Amino acid sequence: MASYTPMILQYLEIKKDYQDAFLFFRLGDFYEMFFEDAIKASRELEITLTSRDGGSEERIPMCGVPYHSAASYIEQLIKKGYKVAICEQVEDPKLAKGVVKREVVQLITPGTLMDSHTLLDKENNYIASINQTGHTFGFAYSDLSTGELKVTLLERVEDCFNECALLGIKEMVVADEFAGKWATVLQERYGVTISLQNELDDETKFESTVSALTRAEEKTAVIRLLSYLYRTQKRSLDHIQEAQRYQTEHYLKMDEYSKRNLELTETIRTKDKKGSLLWLLDETMTAMGGRLLKSWIDRPLTNLNEIQERMEFVQLLKEKFFERQELREKLQKVYDLERLAGRIAFGNVNARDFIQLKHSLKQIPEIQSIILGILSSPNKWEASLDACEEVYNLLEKAIHENPPVSVKEGGLIKDGYHPKLDQYREASRNGKSWIAELEQEERRKTGIKSLKVGYNRVFGYYIEVTKANLHLLKEGQYERKQTLTNAERFITPELKEKEALILEAEERSVELEYDIFTAIREEVKTYIPRLQTLAKAISEIDCLQSFATVSEERHYVKPTFSQDRKLIIQNGRHAVVEKVLGMQVYVPNDCYMNQERELLLITGPNMAGKSTYMRQVALTAIMAQIGCFVPADAAELPIFDQIFTRIGAADDLVSGQSTFMVEMLEAKNALTKATENSLILFDEIGRGTSTYDGMALAQAMIEYIHDHIGAKTLFSTHYHELTVLAEKLPKLQNIHVSVSEERGNIVFLHKLREGAADKSYGIHVAQLAELPNEVITRAREILVAFENKDETVSAIVKEPKTHEPEETQLSFFDVTVGDEEQQKQKLILEKLEKLELMQMTPLDAMNALYELQKMTKA
Ligand code: ADP
Ligand code: MG
């Protein structure tokens, strides 16, 4: 150790405090990494691993990235869930005695990204913290880029997981007591980066943020989060807003699985936004509106007044086409004020941002007047639509319309804003025009027409005379400075004097411009709370105009809300499927439920539209509860407190890990948590096990919901046997998706009808696939036997008919019924029944048949 060079010792000293991060160690124009960091980074970033002499016997592994392109490397590491500590030289190397002083100036982590290139406009980047006290959890989360800060109290650790999944938390700040098993779950199941923060800063430091919080658990969670943010970011975070309490009970609850299954914000298969409800509803014009829309979909409302308040505005906007178009145009010109406020506080705002802020503020009075034209005064947004005139005027007066990206190279500030700056500019301009005149004058004096005055960075201003004309100069007229192949360059004391004046004026003016810019930034900083209030109003208005736009375009209607748990949808459609298929193609369907009719048992062949219908009901309810109109001719809906959806394991192709156990756990979730105000969708539940098991479980669940919960329930099943339940359970109604047969073809009508499906079409399809006639005939026989409820499988199995030997060969089941044989036959039957004939090609069907036959011979 002692043998390391002072610089490596400095590195090791700093690295000690950043064990879980890559330390980007600034060396000249590079960020270097050493030792383990270097080996790992070279692998992760695919950059060359080199080594360097560090004073010890062995050379030290090293790799580096150029300072100017560091951002993209940092981004790559962050995306992989790593952290990066940026270590800069904090004194001028020229003035340093010994090793240049270095310090970590920022720890960049997945939850603290601020870089606008890496962040998606319409998505939040959340970091959260948990504070556990006994069995309660304070849960706080924030988006550092926007300053949003929310906090709640959760009773169970699963609720914490659920919040993490719902919000897409990237990083979780915890203390030791939470860091064990649960943190591992978060890390492994949800890809959350875990960060330890045991030490808490003094509460007084965050007075304005936490003073309104009364619960200690919540307060501590917020303080833990802020302690971490200040420690890692090491700068002012004035844009972090006062912590806002929320309660999950105030929103419609959906577990992470149900959300995914309904494809609310991304599709199951591709995880894309395209094809989700969010995609359908997103006609927002601003990034802020886009983010708010996503959070509205994540948390639909349960308070009737709040829902109606949103809907009333949607209604007004929907009717006023021209005002809405105008509003949309204005909104489009409004920049991301929320993230801008963040960058102002963070100190990485540039002059171009300010110009965009100015243009945004310019839209506000016009937006205000459109809103006033639609709503009466006073209204909800009137005070918040605050154009911050002082800021507008300041920026209009001070900042150039087309400034450069850099804030350190001048060209930012307008003439006439600052007298001293004007003086420097004047001096520089005067100097330059003096030089321009000098060229004319020297040409005249010397008679050399090609004489010119030029400038380069090394020698400054010079007079250039070609070799051919040198003889025209008097001895000692100019001072020789540089010799080129066919010209000589000269200077004069006067020229150098002017040059010094110009350069000094320019240098000073660039410095002064930066100072002025910083002062303006500090001034605008004081408006951050007002800008944030404005941003909130704009994003709400934007979301609501988005609802109005979609509702008008797609002919949605305003639903009413039922006090007595009625659910009546006339000609309802699945909003997303309708958009994908087209309005002409989609077949609308009614849904009718009330307190006497709480469970619908849906039968019908594969591909008939059962799953689509069930999801359509859930999506309609969700759309209504976020304040949007719904895809139907008319709708009366209850306000749901929770929605549970579960698809049978056999249908759940995507999750992969979904086993029958998971299916049952999800079912348990619904059965234990649902209330009479909930909506349950069970889509072909019980398919993950053997037929009789599955059927028994399905029936037991239906009975349980019917007798004990009374939640609105849609239960689709391919177990026809279950349809008799309607005779026993008064609140259960059979419905089916009808199909018609035309000239041997099945036509899917996608139309829901009362009553159970009269038959299963599987055998019909098998016939179409041209299975051998014997199989079809026999399958019909077996089916009839199944449909006669009182018969068991063994009863279906034919008695051995020894007197008709030729038949023994033909029938699958024509064998002696031993115990083992019985098992085997049962297995074959089950296999036969489980065949998804509608989804098989004739060849698949042949193969399956071959397998079955093989089993009979085994
Ligand atoms: P099931 O669950 O009964 O097997 P799905 O709900 O998965 O059937 O629907 C199968 C396909 O039928 C869907 O992919 C969709 O394209 C189409 N479909 C479903 N419902 C409708 C409808 N109401 N109108 C038009 N097409 C529909
Ligand atoms: Mg289905």
Side-chain angles (χ1 to χ4, degrees):
M1 182 87 184
S3 61
Y4 286 129
T5 59
M7 195 195 73
I8 294 297
L9 288 175
Q10 183 193 40
Y11 171 87
L12 290 169
E13 184 60 30
I14 296 173
K15 174 72 191 173
K16 222 172 54 198
D17 294 334
Y18 294 93
Q19 294 296 339
D20 64 342
F22 284 99
L23 185 65
F24 273 41
F25 193 76
R26 183 71 180 269
L27 259 184
D29 281 340
F30 277 80
Y31 286 118
E32 301 288 2
M33 283 162 274
F34 302 114
F35 301 101
E36 278 303 305
D37 273 10
I39 296 170
K40 217 158 113 188
S42 71
R43 206 177 331 116
E44 296 285 5
L45 298 172
E46 297 180 12
I47 52 179
T48 321
L49 183 67
T50 58
S51 65
R52 115 180 233 135
D53 182 12
S56 59
E57 278 170 27
E58 286 179 18
R59 291 177 69 82
I60 295 169
M62 173 175 98
C63 71
V65 299
Y67 163 74
H68 285 290
S69 55
S72 78
Y73 292 105
I74 294 172
E75 182 189 326
Q76 282 182 55
L77 291 172
I78 301 296
K79 274 202 178 143
K80 294 181 178 192
Y82 294 115
K83 304 176 184 176
V84 176
I86 306 293
C87 178
E88 294 288 358
Q89 302 174 168
V90 291
E91 63 179 344
D92 189 338
K94 283 176 226 144
L95 307 176
K97 293 199 197 97
V99 184
V100 186
K101 218 172 137 204
R102 288 185 178 83
E103 268 170 25
V104 169
V105 297
Q106 188 184 2
L107 179 68
I108 306 175
T109 68
T112 60
L113 267 183
M114 279 295 279
D115 186 358
S116 52
H117 299 293
T118 347
L119 296 175
L120 294 172
D121 280 356
K122 290 194 169 181
E123 266 177 42
N124 280 107
N125 194 57
Y126 286 129
I127 180 167
S129 74
I130 287 185
N131 184 65
Q132 187 183 358
T133 319
H135 289 294
T136 5
F137 301 88
F139 180 93
Y141 70 90
S142 177
D143 182 337
L144 188 62
S145 71
T146 65
E148 174 185 3
L149 175 61
K150 298 222 164 98
V151 62
T152 190
L153 219 54
L154 300 170
E155 298 299 331
R156 279 171 309 212
V157 72
E158 296 91 71
D159 294 334
C160 297
F161 294 162
N162 210 34
E163 285 299 289
C164 284
L166 183 88
L167 296 161
I169 300 289
K170 298 272 172 22
E171 184 174 359
M172 174 67 79
V173 183
V174 297
D176 281 333
E177 71 261 18
F178 196 86
K181 187 176 107 216
W182 287 335
T184 315
V185 174
L186 280 175
Q187 210 165 358
E188 287 174 0
R189 181 137 47 111
Y190 303 96
V192 176
T193 299
I194 302 295
S195 298
L196 263 188
Q197 181 68 48
N198 283 312
E199 203 184 326
L200 298 178
D201 287 346
D202 194 55
E203 184 182 324
T204 50
K205 190 173 161 192
F206 311 119
E207 189 67 46
S208 61
T209 327
V210 299
S211 61
L213 299 176
T214 48
R215 294 287 301 242
E217 297 93 330
E218 291 181 337
K219 206 176 232 181
T220 314
V222 173
I223 293 174
R224 171 157 299 133
L225 184 57
L226 292 175
S227 301
Y228 178 78
L229 289 177
Y230 275 94
R231 253 157 244 234
T232 54
Q233 303 310 303
K234 301 174 187 289
R235 66 189 75 198
S236 124
L237 300 172
D238 291 354
H239 66 299
I240 302 244
Q241 299 167 30
E242 190 183 337
Q244 246 187 318
R245 289 205 65 212
Y246 72 101
Q247 278 170 285
T248 50
E249 304 83 75
H250 287 170
Y251 300 97
L252 185 150
K253 271 201 199 166
M254 286 172 280
D255 55 32
E256 115 199 46
Y257 185 87
S258 305
K259 236 192 88 192
R260 195 185 65 158
N261 188 18
L262 292 171
E263 308 195 303
L264 295 186
T265 54
E266 60 183 30
T267 63
I268 298 178
R269 273 162 209 278
T270 59
K271 301 245 173 268
D272 276 343
K273 178 180 167 188
K274 183 156 194 245
S276 67
L277 181 67
L278 176 60
W279 165 73
L280 171 88
L281 292 179
D282 192 356
E283 284 291 340
T284 59
M285 306 305 284
T286 67
M288 310 170 268
R291 289 194 297 270
L292 184 67
L293 176 62
K294 182 164 185 295
S295 74
W296 279 7
I297 292 176
D298 284 336
R299 290 197 208 280
L301 302 170
T302 50
N303 178 301
L304 179 64
N305 290 334
E306 288 174 41
I307 296 171
Q308 269 167 345
E309 191 184 5
R310 286 188 193 171
M311 272 188 191
E312 268 153 33
F313 188 63
V314 172
Q315 168 111 49
L316 290 169
L317 270 177
K318 184 174 172 250
E319 286 159 6
K320 304 204 164 171
F321 180 81
F322 293 106
E323 286 86 341
R324 175 153 46 84
Q325 290 313 316
E326 216 186 316
L327 180 61
R328 284 167 62 81
E329 274 166 37
K330 303 292 171 219
L331 286 172
Q332 191 164 32
K333 296 183 189 151
V334 178
Y335 180 61
D336 196 339
L337 297 172
E338 262 183 329
R339 285 203 166 141
L340 180 89
R343 285 212 293 286
I344 294 172
F346 217 69
N348 56 358
V349 72
N350 67 17
R352 290 195 181 171
D353 291 325
F354 276 156
I355 291 304
Q356 284 179 297
L357 172 59
K358 187 182 84 175
H359 290 314
S360 308
L361 292 176
K362 196 173 172 190
Q363 312 303 319
I364 306 306
E366 299 177 51
I367 291 175
Q368 172 79 279
S369 83
I370 298 172
I371 298 294
L372 278 177
I374 297 169
L375 293 173
S376 56
S377 170
N379 66 62
K380 187 179 172 202
W381 297 295
E382 205 171 347
S384 341
L385 285 174
D386 163 6
C388 301
E389 241 173 274
E390 304 88 327
V391 177
Y392 178 85
N393 291 335
L394 172 65
L395 298 177
E396 171 65 16
K397 227 167 79 190
I399 308 286
H400 254 307
E401 200 57 36
N402 290 307
V405 178
S406 165
V407 294
K408 292 198 167 154
E409 285 160 28
L412 314 171
I413 308 296
K414 280 185 176 169
D415 282 342
Y417 175 70
H418 198 282
K420 191 84 197 161
L421 182 64
D422 289 345
Q423 272 175 28
Y424 288 140
R425 286 181 172 163
E426 183 63 19
S428 145
R429 255 179 241 133
N430 283 343
K432 282 182 178 163
S433 65
W434 181 88
I435 285 170
E437 280 162 23
L438 180 74
E439 193 174 77
Q440 298 305 318
E441 198 178 316
E442 294 302 312
R443 281 182 188 171
R444 194 177 42 75
K445 269 203 250 166
T446 57
I448 306 171
K449 287 229 172 60
S450 64
L451 177 147
K452 61 180 187 197
V453 176
Y455 176 82
N456 78 29
R457 287 176 79 105
V458 184
F459 297 109
Y461 287 98
Y462 55 78
I463 299 167
E464 189 176 295
V465 177
T466 57
K467 292 218 163 127
N469 288 318
L470 280 179
H471 66 279
L472 293 172
L473 294 183
K474 283 184 215 136
E475 183 66 24
Q477 188 166 7
Y478 306 137
E479 198 178 311
R480 193 182 301 265
K481 190 77 194 173
Q482 193 190 5
T483 306
L484 307 176
T485 348
N486 43 21
E488 291 281 334
R489 286 177 176 173
F490 303 92
I491 54 171
T492 68
E494 229 185 341
L495 182 59
K496 282 293 121 177
E497 203 177 293
K498 287 289 177 197
E499 177 189 299
L501 276 178
I502 295 170
L503 292 184
E504 191 188 287
E506 281 182 351
E507 189 176 319
R508 292 234 175 129
S509 91
V510 167
E511 275 168 16
L512 181 58
E513 279 201 62
Y514 181 68
D515 290 345
I516 297 171
F517 181 79
T518 317
I520 293 173
R521 190 180 70 203
E522 291 308 304
E523 173 70 21
V524 178
K525 213 181 208 178
T526 61
Y527 289 87
I528 286 179
R530 278 169 71 180
L531 290 173
Q532 285 172 331
T533 309
L534 171 63
K536 190 160 170 277
I538 291 290
S539 36
E540 284 176 14
I541 291 169
D542 195 14
C543 277
L544 295 172
Q545 72 74 21
S546 182
F547 288 169
T549 303
V550 178
S551 297
E552 197 229 17
E553 225 165 70
R554 311 209 64 86
H555 307 296
Y556 296 166
V557 296
K558 184 175 173 184
T560 58
F561 290 95
S562 153
Q563 301 299 324
D564 51 359
R565 298 178 22 234
K566 268 200 216 100
L567 186 154
I568 303 169
I569 300 173
Q570 254 174 50
N571 283 328
R573 289 106 62 190
H574 185 299
V576 179
V577 177
E578 180 191 49
K579 175 164 175 168
V580 173
L581 291 182
M583 287 204 204
Q584 286 75 31
V585 181
Y586 196 86
V587 180
N589 272 306
D590 298 342
C591 184
Y592 185 82
M593 298 173 94
N594 60 23
Q595 299 195 45
E596 277 77 53
R597 189 179 147 110
E598 301 210 282
L599 291 88
L600 297 179
L601 188 70
I602 311 167
T603 44
N606 250 336
M607 294 299 284
K610 300 184 295 298
S611 302
T612 309
Y613 177 73
M614 295 170 77
R615 287 183 174 85
Q616 151 181 335
V617 174
L619 285 182
T620 302
I622 290 169
M623 287 169 77
Q625 286 182 237
I626 60 177
C628 186
F629 285 12
V630 297
D633 287 352
E636 181 179 354
L637 303 165
I639 292 181
F640 288 114
D641 63 350
Q642 303 172 84
I643 294 182
F644 299 91
T645 69
R646 175 63 229 180
I647 351 176
D651 257 7
D652 186 4
L653 303 169
V654 180
S655 67
Q657 101 267 19
S658 181
T659 60
F660 185 62
M661 182 61 179
V662 177
E663 181 181 330
M664 288 301 113
L665 285 171
E666 302 284 354
K668 178 203 100 176
N669 211 17
L671 296 180
T672 52
K673 290 186 189 154
T675 71
E676 60 174 15
N677 294 314
S678 307
L679 174 65
I680 300 178
L681 309 184
F682 276 169
D683 195 353
E684 310 251 9
I685 206 155
R687 273 172 71 167
T689 181
S690 76
T691 309
Y692 292 100
D693 261 9
M695 207 150 74
L697 281 166
Q699 176 168 347
M701 285 183 202
I702 294 173
E703 288 172 357
Y704 186 84
I705 296 172
H706 183 275
D707 297 343
H708 302 298
I709 305 179
K712 294 273 174 297
T713 305
L714 300 179
F715 202 110
S716 79
T717 185
H718 65 297
Y719 298 131
H720 264 252
E721 296 79 354
L722 293 177
T723 55
V724 293
L725 279 174
E727 291 160 22
K728 191 175 96 173
L729 306 175
K731 292 179 187 170
L732 179 127
Q733 177 63 41
N734 284 314
I735 59 174
H736 69 280
V737 199
S738 57
V739 292
S740 79
E741 295 171 55
E742 284 171 16
R743 279 172 269 116
N745 284 322
I746 290 182
V747 178
F748 291 112
L749 302 174
H750 303 303
K751 201 73 194 165
L752 264 294
R753 305 223 186 278
E754 294 285 299
D758 49 357
K759 61 175 179 172
S760 167
Y761 287 81
I763 295 175
H764 192 98
V765 178
Q767 199 174 8
L768 289 178
E770 296 182 348
L771 261 76
N773 270 337
E774 286 88 341
V775 176
I776 304 293
T777 320
R778 181 68 187 128
R780 287 225 166 93
E781 262 177 73
I782 298 169
L783 183 67
V784 171
F786 270 131
E787 282 168 357
N788 267 329
K789 287 280 117 21
D790 47 359
E791 293 203 41
T792 61
V793 187
S794 53
I796 303 166
V797 175
K798 282 187 179 174
E799 292 302 314
K801 294 176 187 168
T802 37
H803 57 283
E804 279 172 320
E806 68 277 21
E807 266 218 32
T808 355
Q809 284 182 345
L810 289 174
S811 172
F812 285 177
F813 311 104
D814 214 357
V815 279
T816 338
V817 187
D819 230 352
E820 229 182 84
E821 276 302 319
Q822 206 168 350
Q823 278 304 70
K824 191 171 92 187
Q825 288 165 5
K826 199 170 147 194
L827 205 73
I828 294 170
L829 268 180
E830 273 166 18
K831 287 227 167 215
L832 181 63
E833 190 180 1
K834 271 201 198 152
L835 290 183
E836 298 278 29
L837 292 175
M838 281 307 286
Q839 295 178 359
M840 294 171 103
T841 63
L843 189 66
D844 287 344
M846 273 312 288
N847 282 333
L849 189 61
Y850 173 75
E851 285 299 317
L852 285 175
Q853 193 177 49
K854 232 172 48 184
M855 287 172 74
T856 65
K857 288 177 181 163

Short mmCIF file of all heavy atoms in Angstrom, two decimals, residues 610-611 651 683-684, ligand 2:
data_model
loop_
_atom_site.label_atom_id
_atom_site.label_comp_id
_atom_site.label_asym_id
_atom_site.label_seq_id
_atom_site.Cartn_x
_atom_site.Cartn_y
_atom_site.Cartn_z
N LYS A 610 -64.53 -14.08 -25.69
CA LYS A 610 -64.82 -14.04 -24.25
C LYS A 610 -63.84 -13.13 -23.50
O LYS A 610 -64.25 -12.25 -22.75
CB LYS A 610 -64.73 -15.46 -23.65
CG LYS A 610 -65.70 -16.45 -24.26
CD LYS A 610 -65.64 -17.80 -23.56
CE LYS A 610 -64.31 -18.53 -23.73
NZ LYS A 610 -63.98 -18.87 -25.12
N SER A 611 -62.56 -13.34 -23.75
CA SER A 611 -61.56 -12.55 -23.03
C SER A 611 -61.69 -11.07 -23.37
O SER A 611 -61.59 -10.20 -22.50
CB SER A 611 -60.15 -13.01 -23.38
OG SER A 611 -60.01 -14.38 -23.08
N ASP A 651 -53.58 -20.09 -20.45
CA ASP A 651 -53.70 -18.99 -21.38
C ASP A 651 -52.60 -17.96 -21.19
O ASP A 651 -52.37 -17.12 -22.03
CB ASP A 651 -55.04 -18.27 -21.16
CG ASP A 651 -56.04 -18.65 -22.23
OD1 ASP A 651 -55.72 -19.55 -23.02
OD2 ASP A 651 -57.13 -18.04 -22.27
N ASP A 683 -60.65 -15.36 -16.02
CA ASP A 683 -60.69 -15.80 -17.41
C ASP A 683 -60.13 -17.22 -17.50
O ASP A 683 -58.93 -17.43 -17.38
CB ASP A 683 -59.85 -14.83 -18.26
CG ASP A 683 -60.12 -14.99 -19.74
OD1 ASP A 683 -60.83 -15.94 -20.12
OD2 ASP A 683 -59.61 -14.16 -20.52
N GLU A 684 -61.02 -18.18 -17.66
CA GLU A 684 -60.62 -19.58 -17.81
C GLU A 684 -59.74 -20.04 -16.66
O GLU A 684 -58.70 -20.67 -16.86
CB GLU A 684 -59.85 -19.77 -19.12
CG GLU A 684 -60.55 -19.17 -20.31
CD GLU A 684 -61.12 -20.22 -21.26
OE1 GLU A 684 -61.12 -21.41 -20.89
OE2 GLU A 684 -61.57 -19.83 -22.34
MG MG B 2 -59.74 -16.17 -23.97
#
